[in-house]
Amino acid sequence: MLTSPPVPGDGAVRPSSWKKIFPVMLLGALAGPALAQTVQAWITTGDQTQLLARGADARFHPGARAATIIEVDPRQRFQDMVGFGAAITDASAWLIQNKLNPQQRADLLNELFGKAPGAGFSFTRLTIGASDFSRSHYSFDDMPPGQTDPELRHFSIDPNRADVLPVTKAALAINPRLRVMASPWSAPGWMKSTDSLIQGTLKPEAYAPFARYLSRYISAYQQEGVPIYALTLQNEPHFEPKDYPGMRVDPAQRAAFIGGHLGPLLAKEHPHTRILDWDHNWDAPGSPAEVLKDATANQYVAGVAWHCYGGDVRVQAALHDRWPDKETFFTECSGGKWAPVWSDNLQHFARTLVIGTTRGWARGVLLWNLALDEHDGPHLGGCNDCRGVVTIDSRDGKITRNEEYYALAHASRFVRPGARRIASTSGYDQLDTVAFRNADDGELALLVANSARAPRSFAVRIGQRSFDYTLPATSVATFTWK
């Protein structure tokens, strides 16, 4: 696989430096079909006058006359994509299952997971037991205080049968290519130093039972027709929340647990389920680095998962440069009432969490709650002003598509599983970009975010041809062509 081109400190590749790195020698094959080929455009504007709306078509012509040029080079290939989506939390599943009538439920799930004109989400995340977005705190093997169950005789996924399982199975029926990852917020309380789901760390004597607990979860979901594509051993392992399940697991503990217990067990029982380390913020890249430095754990770790709540997205690429054989996934971020400006949120989610993460080698991009209600819940502890990708009005089932929905759909509708990221210049004249080539039909998809408070005109050049376009202020666009 070719590596990323050298970039300035802000991650941008200026047109002048791009020409020095990649001289334009694309004739014949990369010039593609006739120059008059049509480019389709879909646009979302910060003022919400256009919401994933079909824009004016563009057409290729020889050369490039614009002052700002975005170069797209399909010869430069990077990671292949698993997909984009959001977590089917307990809250999301309960709302979908209980606050929508059957027709509303079918319509929403088809819109979220179905092919165009649906959003085409192809990646989701489940919680192994409760998170703060659950209506009660539970694990799949709770015991009375002071009692233990090392043989897991009381293990059961019954708490998920009323909502999480049926919603996930319905999503899979709509999109059989949907990949499901899962993360625990805590081991069962009896495995922990606090004898509680709240705070604490994993007892050394519980390493083997906890590994079996996670393997049992994979088996139980597999029996229900839900394959678990990837697993993290702990959500946010450097954080011990005081009012909802959590567990601190430092890098030495994670390495010992993965290398000595979880890794060998999954290699035997579930070899197709990936183990991802970290599942926490960009601000502590040294933690997953310590796990990857452990030779025993390293052989079982497929990749690293990242969250957005601290640090800079560019650490993803920096860690990938050190361990290029390890995959990168972005697995959680939430918007909320702390950021009330719609256009700013659209830009943040598109520029940083879709474009930035995939330019930083992410094969999959997940936001947090797929759906919350008009009161930003239900939840028990934790965040009281988080926003779902969609909002479900619990009184009548009305759906509001939030900023996160449009940022995700600009990628998920057009970038299908198996697509390969290709090179594109980015960060010039307040235009951020990422480009992909779909594996099934060779169609190219280019995402462009214009963060300027004014329209921006540019040319997109591929080989010896280009097309011209002007994007409105604070807008996001997806261009597609073959």
Side-chain angles (χ1 to χ4, degrees):
M1 181 180 293
L2 297 172
T3 58
S4 297
V7 295
D10 64 355
V13 180
R14 310 302 187 201
S16 59
S17 61
W18 179 273
K19 291 174 184 176
K20 295 175 184 177
I21 300 168
F22 299 116
V24 179
M25 300 173 62
L26 304 176
L27 302 172
L30 283 185
L35 289 174
Q37 178 188 3
T38 297
V39 177
Q40 296 183 348
W42 285 262
I43 299 171
T44 298
T45 54
D47 63 7
Q48 302 179 63
T49 57
Q50 298 180 75
L51 296 171
L52 204 60
R54 182 70 182 272
D57 289 346
R59 290 187 179 276
F60 279 101
H61 55 73
R65 298 181 289 271
T68 299
I69 299 173
I70 298 168
E71 300 272 9
V72 176
D73 185 357
R75 299 177 308 172
Q76 301 294 313
R77 295 173 293 175
F78 306 100
Q79 77 274 21
D80 64 321
M81 299 301 298
V82 170
F84 303 84
I88 301 175
T89 58
D90 287 358
S92 300
W94 183 82
L95 286 168
I96 291 169
Q97 199 70 2
N98 292 281
K99 295 300 180 179
L100 299 178
N101 64 43
Q103 188 60 56
Q104 290 172 323
R105 184 183 312 123
D107 289 346
L108 177 60
L109 291 175
N110 275 289
E111 178 180 349
L112 294 173
F113 296 97
K115 296 178 180 179
F121 290 171
S122 57
F123 194 29
T124 193
R125 184 180 184 216
L126 306 181
T127 70
I128 303 176
S131 71
D132 46 332
F133 284 91
S134 299
R135 297 167 66 243
S136 65
H137 293 163
Y138 68 93
S139 78
F140 294 127
D141 196 342
D142 290 325
M143 297 295 293
Q147 296 186 30
T148 64
D149 183 24
E151 301 304 318
L152 304 182
R153 292 188 177 94
H154 297 278
F155 179 92
S156 173
I157 61 167
D158 283 353
N160 284 176
R161 293 192 185 280
D163 39 44
V164 173
L165 266 171
V167 169
T168 305
K169 291 165 77 170
L172 274 164
I174 294 165
N175 183 0
R177 301 180 76 180
L178 178 69
R179 300 295 190 185
V180 180
M181 71 163 289
S183 309
W185 263 237
S186 173
W190 55 268
M191 297 186 186
K192 297 171 60 186
S193 59
T194 55
D195 196 27
S196 168
L197 295 174
I198 310 298
Q199 299 188 305
T201 190
L202 190 64
K203 297 176 181 178
E205 61 267 29
Y207 282 17
F210 188 45
R212 291 197 299 273
Y213 174 88
L214 296 175
S215 184
R216 284 281 295 276
Y217 171 84
I218 298 171
S219 296
Y221 261 75
Q222 178 72 52
Q223 290 170 7
E224 294 291 335
V226 180
I228 301 301
Y229 173 79
L231 181 83
T232 59
L233 66 94
Q234 174 60 37
N235 173 72
E236 299 187 345
H238 281 197
F239 182 45
E240 293 179 73
K242 296 181 180 180
D243 59 356
Y244 67 93
M247 184 170 73
R248 185 172 185 93
V249 193
D250 290 330
Q253 294 172 290
R254 299 201 309 277
F257 176 70
I258 294 170
H261 300 276
L262 184 63
L265 184 62
L266 293 196
K268 178 182 177 181
E269 296 185 352
H270 301 289
H272 299 299
T273 299
R274 290 163 163 77
I275 297 174
L276 306 178
D277 185 50
W278 191 220
D279 214 7
H280 208 168
N281 294 332
W282 296 317
D283 59 2
S287 188
E290 286 302 310
V291 174
L292 293 177
K293 288 177 185 176
D294 184 286
T296 305
N298 182 289
Q299 64 184 312
Y300 297 112
V301 175
V304 176
W306 300 95
H307 295 185
C308 75
Y309 307 113
D312 191 302
V313 65
R314 287 175 290 185
V315 302
Q316 293 184 185
L319 198 76
H320 179 271
D321 288 345
R322 293 181 65 184
W323 285 280
D325 61 319
K326 301 303 180 184
E327 299 173 335
T328 301
F329 287 85
F330 181 78
T331 51
E332 186 184 316
C333 195
S334 181
K337 289 180 178 175
W338 59 85
V341 181
W342 204 96
S343 61
D344 291 349
N345 295 332
L346 175 70
Q347 286 298 312
H348 172 68
F349 279 90
R351 294 176 65 210
T352 303
L353 303 181
V354 175
I355 294 173
T357 60
T358 53
R359 290 185 73 91
W361 293 95
R363 298 188 64 217
V365 176
L366 287 169
L367 301 185
W368 188 209
N369 291 276
L370 182 67
L372 292 177
D373 67 16
E374 71 276 16
H375 302 297
D376 307 316
H379 70 95
L380 184 57
C383 183
N384 59 13
D385 57 356
C386 285
R387 183 174 53 241
V389 171
V390 300
T391 299
I392 297 175
D393 192 314
S394 62
R395 297 161 295 189
D396 58 12
K398 179 183 176 182
I399 303 299
T400 301
R401 295 153 191 83
N402 297 319
E403 301 94 304
E404 296 84 350
Y405 172 90
Y406 293 103
L408 282 171
H410 267 284
S412 60
R413 181 184 289 186
F414 308 100
V415 181
R416 296 181 286 279
R420 183 69 67 115
R421 180 171 69 91
I422 59 176
S424 63
T425 51
S426 186
Y428 182 68
D429 201 22
Q430 296 178 282
L431 297 171
D432 292 277
T433 81
V434 68
F436 303 90
R437 185 169 193 163
N438 284 305
D440 50 4
D441 60 3
E443 183 178 67
L444 276 67
L446 172 70
L447 278 69
V448 182
N450 172 24
S451 58
R453 301 291 175 179
R456 285 287 186 264
S457 297
F458 54 89
V460 175
R461 181 164 61 193
I462 177 169
Q464 299 299 307
R465 59 184 184 144
S466 68
F467 67 86
D468 302 308
Y469 220 85
T470 299
L471 281 183
T474 60
S475 64
V476 178
T478 303
F479 301 97
T480 64
W481 69 94
K482 291 186 179 179

